[in-house]
Amino acid sequence: MDTSELQAPDAEQRRLAELSRYAITVDEPDPKLDLITSLAIKSVDADIGGISIVYQSQIWLPSRVGMEARHVPRSGSFCTWVVGAATESNFFEVADAGGDVRFCHNPLVTHAPHYRHYAAVPLHGARGYLLGTLWVMSEAVRRLDAEQVMMLQGMARLVVDTLELRYCDEVTGMSNRHVFLHHLQLGLTRTAQPHLVVGYIDLAGFRHLNDVFGREQGDLVLREIGQRIAIWAGRDNLVGHLGGDQFAFALFGTRDAHTQRLEHLQDIISRPLMLGGGGAHLLHGRVGIAHHALPYGGSAVALLDAADTAASSIGDYLQRTTVKEYGVELLTRSRMVFELQGALDGERQYGALVAHYQPQVDYTRGVLIGLEALVRWQHPARGMVFPNSFIPLAESTDKIYQLDMLVLEQVCRDMRAWLDQGLPVVPVALNFSRRSLLHPRVIDDLRQVLARYDIDGGMLEFEVTESQLLATADLVGPRVAEFRALGARIAVDDFGTGYSNLDAISSFPFDRLKVDRQFVHGVQGSERVAGLFHLIQGIAELFKAELLCEGLEDEADLLWLAQRGASCVQGWYFSAARTPEAIVRILGVLRDRAEAPPLTTAQLRALLQS
């Protein structure tokens, strides 16, 4: 007799479906499960033991001590009877299997060393379904006492907790990322369906909801959304909770059927949620999808990554759940993200990210007053890639901190080399993203880099854009103070583009105000632009900050600035961004003429462009 005879067929099918949440059968051994098995054997003074997961015709043993077999037939096994009796008892014991007609022919009993005693505790998953057993066996005929039974039951609970943590998301009970990808990979090889769509769901607004209503309510929301997605997908498809507010699904069938089903997904996610005092709250989702004809010889990971890429390309401000398909444009983007990561990791086949330096000058004194580090990507196929092509990718894929720190590392390395050559090094400005400025490790990492290259903090300037400041002044202000405590200079960049909020910029001290190029380029020919420039110049004087004018390209604008006493500039009129080697030549000339008269504007321009 097997378990299907002891349980109703529909109940057994639900139990087997529940087992699909786990990826035990092809998984690597889990040392935690082996430890629990060993403790169970020792606690009841048994000889062998194991953890059995009971499938339809086989029993898999993800952990076993004292036997080699990884799987055994379900028919005639001890576990068959444990499963059948699990609804009535949470403990099963056979004192003498040799004298029991159910087990006297079992190979473990008939073959040396002839195990006689068997005890097991059924393993019930978080959702109540029976998964298998934790069992022990001994050669001696005996019965466990009450304390030993209690110990074995406690060990069984540890087994279930370990399985749930490894294979299932603890909040929703859904398959976690590992198991979802495992079953998707199996589905790619086993399905007879002609088409597949893989989806990645990122809930917009969940974090705000979680902050307002608390984590307990947030978990209820995730469970509700997970249940909606699971019901929507149906039993023949796959769903998973990837963590946080992100879910995944895979639909097998025809493309037309998928199109119809996807139309309903938007309403499924955006249906109102009842929270707190009973008010209705809405969440929307960024849903990226990747279609593919079957059979498909690629990896499940690649399909999920494609769907993730499509989801991440959807904007932040959603009025409703939005679905975007991965296509040629996103394929190019995905490839570029992959190559960017390779370049960040120093894999030379993907090129190199290097810092170039644009000079900043005080032309009335004929001196170089600073450099701005601007990253470039020397790509093996695309040539020189400028930052507007890859900085947004780095920001949208959480690679921006790694990129900013790579540039910082190179800047400090270059400065150390210049100092060691006795060159007259000037401060270097870096553009850190808001995410990098607020990164929890940024101050510690900055200290380490400065110490590694023995660079004084005063030789670095960090630029905070006005838009960054306006969005999160309460967060940026304290972090800026930490940068200044290391001696670093602070510049407010792109000033004038963020509505020039004086309350925001007065929230922390800064050393330099950088006028955005739109208030410099063409200023001599526009009364409106000139008026705005005068206003910004007055703000710099009010805060006793140096005014630096960006984007200077024309001589006419230079003459206009000179008449208004704005002598510190940066732009193509004097020089584009230069390679580190070119900067060495420029600094070398300045060192050699240290006692010479100041450079004229024309001489300074010629030197910087040489």
Side-chain angles (χ1 to χ4, degrees):
M1 180 182 294
D2 64 18
T3 307
S4 62
E5 298 174 24
L6 297 169
Q7 291 186 313
D10 58 341
E12 174 66 358
Q13 288 303 311
R14 288 195 297 271
R15 190 191 73 78
L16 293 173
E18 178 70 5
L19 283 174
S20 69
R21 298 167 64 228
Y22 304 88
I24 301 170
T25 58
V26 296
D27 204 359
E28 294 299 319
D30 188 336
K32 297 186 184 69
L33 294 180
D34 291 340
L35 176 60
I36 296 171
T37 300
S38 298
L39 290 174
I41 293 170
K42 185 175 181 179
S43 68
V44 300
D45 195 26
D47 296 320
I48 65 170
I51 297 168
S52 296
I53 305 298
V54 182
Y55 286 86
Q56 189 163 11
S57 61
Q58 296 283 318
I59 295 175
W60 295 85
L61 291 91
S63 175
R64 62 266 184 222
V65 174
M67 63 181 296
E68 294 298 324
R70 184 71 187 268
H71 59 87
V72 296
R74 179 173 171 179
S75 178
S77 68
F78 286 89
C79 288
T80 293
W81 292 89
V82 181
V83 170
T87 56
E88 302 172 4
S89 173
N90 63 353
F91 179 69
F92 184 90
E93 185 174 28
V94 179
D96 182 4
D100 192 314
V101 295
R102 298 172 296 176
F103 309 114
C104 60
H105 300 295
N106 188 292
L108 290 173
V109 179
T110 59
H111 292 70
H114 306 289
Y115 295 108
R116 307 290 291 274
H117 175 260
Y118 174 88
V121 178
L123 303 174
H124 292 279
R127 298 196 288 196
Y129 291 97
L130 189 136
L131 310 176
T133 65
L134 170 64
W135 57 270
V136 294
M137 295 188 77
S138 304
E139 297 177 33
V141 175
R142 62 171 184 155
R143 284 195 179 276
L144 301 185
D145 60 32
E147 184 177 350
Q148 289 174 318
V149 172
M150 185 173 64
M151 289 290 292
L152 205 59
Q153 291 170 334
M155 296 294 177
R157 286 193 291 272
L158 288 177
V159 171
V160 173
D161 290 344
T162 302
L163 291 176
E164 291 289 333
L165 286 173
R166 180 165 185 174
Y167 298 105
C168 304
D169 178 78
E170 61 179 330
V171 174
T172 63
M174 301 170 71
S175 296
N176 61 21
R177 182 186 184 94
H178 169 77
V179 176
F180 174 81
L181 288 171
H182 164 71
H183 287 298
L184 178 54
Q185 194 68 53
L186 288 179
L188 293 175
T189 60
R190 296 178 180 178
T191 185
Q193 296 291 344
H195 195 269
L196 166 73
V197 59
V198 175
Y200 184 100
I201 301 172
D202 180 18
L203 298 179
F206 172 77
R207 293 179 184 176
H208 175 71
L209 182 149
N210 201 45
D211 290 341
V212 171
F213 293 97
R215 181 171 180 177
E216 183 176 349
Q217 288 288 312
D219 288 350
L220 289 175
V221 168
L222 292 176
R223 283 193 283 273
E224 169 68 18
I225 295 294
Q227 289 172 4
R228 292 182 188 180
I229 296 169
I231 294 171
W232 164 81
R235 292 179 59 180
D236 296 331
N237 296 305
L238 303 175
V239 293
H241 185 194
L242 307 180
D245 55 3
Q246 297 160 350
F247 296 83
F249 61 84
L251 308 178
F252 297 87
T254 65
R255 181 152 190 155
D256 288 344
H258 292 156
T259 300
Q260 295 175 12
R261 191 184 291 266
L262 287 167
E263 289 176 356
H264 297 302
L265 180 59
Q266 294 168 303
D267 295 331
I268 292 293
I269 295 174
S270 298
R271 189 188 306 152
L273 296 152
M274 306 306 291
L275 294 176
H281 299 271
L282 296 179
L283 283 181
H284 302 302
R286 300 179 188 86
V287 183
I289 58 173
H291 285 278
H292 214 287
L294 297 173
Y296 171 69
S299 71
V301 173
L303 289 171
L304 185 60
D305 283 349
D308 183 1
T309 298
S312 65
S313 70
I314 299 172
D316 290 333
Y317 302 102
L318 300 183
Q319 299 300 315
R320 59 170 307 192
T321 292
T322 303
V323 178
K324 186 167 185 178
E325 182 178 349
Y326 184 82
V328 174
E329 174 188 349
L330 292 176
L331 176 63
T332 302
R333 179 182 186 274
S334 181
R335 178 65 186 175
M336 199 162 184
V337 169
F338 176 80
E339 293 177 347
L340 176 60
Q341 184 63 66
L344 285 168
D345 292 339
E347 299 177 27
R348 302 302 296 181
Q349 67 267 35
Y350 301 114
L353 293 155
V354 297
H356 287 193
Y357 300 91
Q358 187 171 34
Q360 300 167 336
V361 303
D362 182 338
Y363 58 87
T364 60
R365 294 190 292 128
V367 295
L368 179 70
I369 59 172
L371 301 167
E372 180 176 0
L374 301 169
V375 65
R376 302 287 189 262
W377 185 1
Q378 293 178 339
H379 193 279
R382 298 185 179 95
M384 188 65 73
V385 181
F386 286 85
N388 60 339
S389 296
F390 63 88
I391 293 293
L393 288 180
E395 290 177 334
S396 66
T397 55
D398 292 330
K399 305 183 191 307
I400 191 63
Y401 184 70
Q402 186 180 359
L403 175 59
D404 283 343
M405 295 310 296
L406 182 148
V407 174
L408 171 67
E409 181 93 16
Q410 182 173 337
V411 165
C412 289
R413 185 169 59 245
D414 286 343
M415 293 178 77
R416 172 42 52 199
W418 300 340
L419 289 167
D420 289 346
Q421 295 176 58
L423 298 174
V425 180
V426 292
V428 176
L430 298 102
N431 293 286
F432 261 29
S433 72
R434 173 183 172 276
R435 185 171 297 178
S436 296
L437 282 170
L438 299 178
H439 196 283
R441 292 202 316 269
V442 66
I443 297 300
D444 288 340
D445 288 347
L446 175 58
R447 285 196 185 98
Q448 291 177 17
V449 173
L450 290 174
R452 185 179 307 128
Y453 294 100
D454 192 21
I455 299 296
D456 185 86
M459 296 301 294
L460 296 178
E461 177 179 276
F462 293 91
E463 299 181 351
V464 181
T465 66
E466 189 182 2
S467 58
Q468 288 175 342
L469 183 58
L470 290 176
T472 51
D474 56 332
L475 298 176
V476 173
R479 180 51 53 86
V480 162
E482 293 182 89
F483 276 91
R484 289 178 64 85
L486 295 177
R489 292 160 50 92
I490 299 295
V492 177
D493 195 18
D494 298 339
F495 192 77
T497 61
Y499 308 107
S500 304
N501 189 312
L502 296 182
D503 287 339
I505 67 169
S506 65
S507 64
F508 68 93
F510 56 94
D511 304 284
R512 175 181 278 177
L513 197 65
K514 298 187 71 175
V515 187
D516 187 74
R517 72 178 308 278
Q518 65 180 287
F519 304 107
V520 175
H521 184 63
V523 65
Q524 56 82 32
S526 170
E527 291 186 7
R528 183 184 67 84
V529 174
L532 291 171
F533 181 90
H534 283 305
L535 177 61
I536 295 171
Q537 190 174 31
I539 292 172
E541 293 174 357
L542 175 66
F543 287 97
K544 296 181 173 58
E546 179 185 77
L547 188 74
L548 180 73
C549 303
E550 293 186 288
L552 178 67
E553 298 180 11
D554 299 327
E555 186 173 6
D557 292 331
L558 175 71
L559 296 175
W560 188 93
L561 293 173
Q563 293 172 0
R564 275 76 182 174
S567 60
C568 298
V569 298
Q570 173 182 342
W572 281 55
Y573 179 79
F574 280 96
S575 176
R578 307 300 304 276
T579 65
E581 294 75 19
I583 296 299
V584 168
R585 292 195 299 272
I586 292 168
L587 294 178
V589 171
L590 293 176
R591 177 191 58 191
D592 294 343
R593 64 180 319 280
E595 304 300 325
L599 294 168
T600 65
T601 297
Q603 289 173 331
L604 183 60
R605 188 182 182 199
L607 168 62
L608 298 179
Q609 295 179 2
S610 62

